[in-house]
Amino acid sequence: MEIGIVGLPNVGKSTLFNAITKAGAECANYPFCTIEPNIGIVPVPDERLDKLAEIYHPEKVTHAIVKFVDIAGLVKGASKGEGLGNKFLSHIREVDAIVQVVRCFENSNIVHVDGSIDPVRDVETINLELIFADIEAVDKRREKAIKLARTNKKDQVQVDALDKLREALMQGKLASSVSLTDEEKESINDLFLLTSKPMMFVANVSEEQLKDVQNDENVKKLEEYAKSLNSKVIPLCVKVEEELASLSDEEEKEMLELYGIDKSGLDKLITESYDLLGLISYLTAGEPEVRAWTITKGTKAPGAAGKIHTDFERGFIKAEVIGYNELIECGSLVKAKEKGLVRIEGKDYVMQDGDVVLFRFNV
């Protein structure tokens, strides 16, 4: 599962990517510094693993991961080939969700492509280019679907779906806002529309703004706009996050206290990105390893077992399950079993975030 980091040129995308991954992607004060996308894999912060490690003293602790892709800056007219144009859009098409980095800080030394700071305008610029690209994709598909629908009623379902999408897109709405039936969704699920992807925003603020970010006017405007899209905004100072990424745990704690925040913006971003993708973690714990396993929300126990090994799914018998909080309160699995808190779940059990599980199987 991949998350694309997008935005206008010079808003802090590559600097944010560097901070997230410590990968050292090139970063400079001119448009299109990033041409080919940089990719970084990062662990999802999860304090639950540390607590379980205190109980089990494992040889190894393994976090869930998220993959971030740093994509080149977009400019007005990208859907018509301006800037990196279609190349940029094709990179976005390949990711599963989008994080838009939006500049909310003033700095005369860093050029803004439109000459002034206006976060809502910047987001609308990007969304409009994505919408234009989606209209083109819908029109191409619709032309073929109309011809096929003359002889096949199933293709009429696709035409209906495309008509609904086109109407919304022409009104400047995102494809994600359109209500489609399950049958209609299935008919266009290979279209990979850019504006159908889950989306979230990073408000890149200055060090000064960070100290009172809740009352910052630019951040408030962006949050209000994001609300209309059912999206979230994570305010952070990319410059500070880059510095935090280079510090020891103790130094990081001191710096966070200096800014009056309890958790780095990056930790929040990575955690929220995991949620944006519709992912949760179930946990396994023992002396060899304490580990978070990634599954999509709604996964049943056999499917979750299959993440460990296909044999676990094929020969699934049952799952011994306890909630993380219950296990921590008991202090050990033995005590939890004595209290009758370990449940036996079958094939229809829908996994919950934080379930600590032992799968029983036979092949």
Side-chain angles (χ1 to χ4, degrees):
M1 300 289 268
E2 296 185 354
I3 293 182
I5 302 176
V6 306
L8 297 173
N10 290 350
V11 295
K13 295 184 313 302
S14 294
T15 307
L16 176 66
F17 179 82
N18 290 350
I20 290 173
T21 64
K22 301 180 187 176
E26 187 186 355
C27 176
N29 180 23
Y30 57 91
F32 311 122
C33 173
T34 304
I35 296 175
E36 292 302 325
N38 298 298
I39 297 174
I41 297 171
V42 296
V44 178
D46 195 336
E47 293 173 356
R48 298 174 302 190
L49 296 179
D50 300 326
K51 293 286 185 186
L52 288 173
E54 289 172 14
I55 294 174
Y56 288 93
H57 307 290
E59 295 171 19
K60 187 177 172 187
V61 175
T62 306
H63 286 251
I65 58 167
V66 173
K67 188 183 285 188
F68 284 93
V69 183
D70 177 24
I71 297 171
L74 175 147
V75 292
K76 201 175 287 183
S79 59
K80 302 299 178 190
E82 292 295 324
L84 295 176
N86 293 328
K87 192 171 187 181
F88 167 90
L89 296 168
S90 70
H91 292 153
I92 298 179
R93 208 173 292 284
E94 290 167 12
V95 301
D96 301 290
I98 295 169
V99 169
Q100 283 196 39
V101 181
V102 187
R103 180 171 166 178
C104 292
F105 66 90
E106 300 278 355
N107 187 331
S108 58
N109 294 321
I110 300 177
V111 180
H112 188 292
V113 288
D114 286 327
S116 63
I117 305 304
D118 185 338
V120 172
R121 177 202 61 205
D122 291 354
V123 171
E124 286 178 339
T125 295
I126 288 180
N127 285 352
L128 199 56
E129 293 307 321
L130 302 184
I131 286 168
F132 286 152
D134 279 352
I135 289 171
E136 188 178 343
V138 165
D139 283 348
K140 276 183 185 173
R141 174 65 67 86
R142 188 171 170 273
E143 195 177 322
K144 291 178 185 175
I146 287 171
K147 289 177 184 175
L148 292 169
R150 290 171 191 156
T151 54
N152 190 337
K153 285 184 180 179
K154 278 189 178 180
D155 287 297
Q156 186 56 49
V157 173
Q158 186 176 185
V159 174
D160 293 343
L162 292 168
D163 284 346
K164 288 179 186 178
L165 287 165
R166 192 176 194 283
E167 184 182 357
L169 291 166
M170 291 299 287
Q171 292 172 9
K173 296 176 183 175
L174 307 185
S176 58
S177 70
V178 180
S179 293
L180 299 174
T181 66
D182 289 343
E183 199 178 2
E184 286 172 340
K185 284 177 188 173
E186 192 180 342
S187 73
I188 52 99
N189 65 2
D190 60 341
L191 199 51
F192 305 116
L193 294 177
L194 302 174
T195 64
S196 67
K197 298 178 187 294
M199 195 180 292
M200 184 167 67
F201 302 95
V202 165
N204 186 11
V205 300
S206 68
E207 292 175 70
E208 280 306 308
Q209 287 170 295
L210 189 62
K211 292 171 185 174
D212 189 24
V213 78
Q214 301 307 320
N215 296 313
D216 185 83
E217 285 306 313
N218 280 334
V219 174
K220 279 183 180 178
K221 286 176 190 173
L222 183 57
E223 286 175 336
E224 200 58 40
Y225 183 81
K227 231 182 255 183
S228 70
L229 303 177
N230 294 316
S231 296
K232 290 183 180 177
V233 174
I234 307 244
L236 55 78
C237 176
V238 168
K239 188 179 174 186
V240 167
E241 296 297 335
E242 188 178 37
E243 192 174 338
L244 283 170
S246 66
L247 300 178
S248 66
D249 290 347
E250 193 56 42
E251 289 170 329
E252 181 182 349
K253 189 179 175 184
E254 287 175 12
M255 192 166 173
L256 289 174
E257 285 173 1
L258 183 67
Y259 286 100
I261 48 181
D262 60 344
K263 191 190 282 188
S264 81
L266 283 189
D267 281 355
K268 291 175 188 171
L269 172 61
I270 295 165
T271 304
E272 289 289 353
S273 297
Y274 195 66
D275 185 58
L276 185 69
L277 290 168
L279 304 176
I280 59 172
S281 296
Y282 75 84
L283 314 171
T284 54
E287 285 184 11
E289 184 180 33
V290 165
R291 178 165 181 164
W293 298 86
T294 300
I295 53 174
T296 54
K297 291 173 187 173
T299 299
K300 292 185 178 180
K307 289 289 178 181
I308 299 175
H309 197 286
T310 52
D311 283 351
F312 281 35
E313 183 172 9
R314 191 156 52 93
F316 179 89
I317 299 171
K318 63 183 179 181
E320 295 179 14
V321 183
I322 182 171
Y324 164 80
N325 289 328
E326 291 174 315
L327 177 56
I328 294 300
E329 282 170 20
C330 293
S332 75
L333 193 60
V334 173
K335 287 181 182 175
K337 283 183 176 178
E338 287 171 0
K339 290 185 178 182
L341 295 173
V342 178
R343 312 185 309 275
I344 302 300
E345 301 288 0
K347 291 182 177 181
D348 291 329
Y349 176 68
V350 177
M351 300 292 292
Q352 302 299 308
D353 185 55
D355 278 346
V356 183
V357 191
L358 176 65
F359 293 110
R360 300 292 184 188
F361 72 103
N362 184 30
V363 177

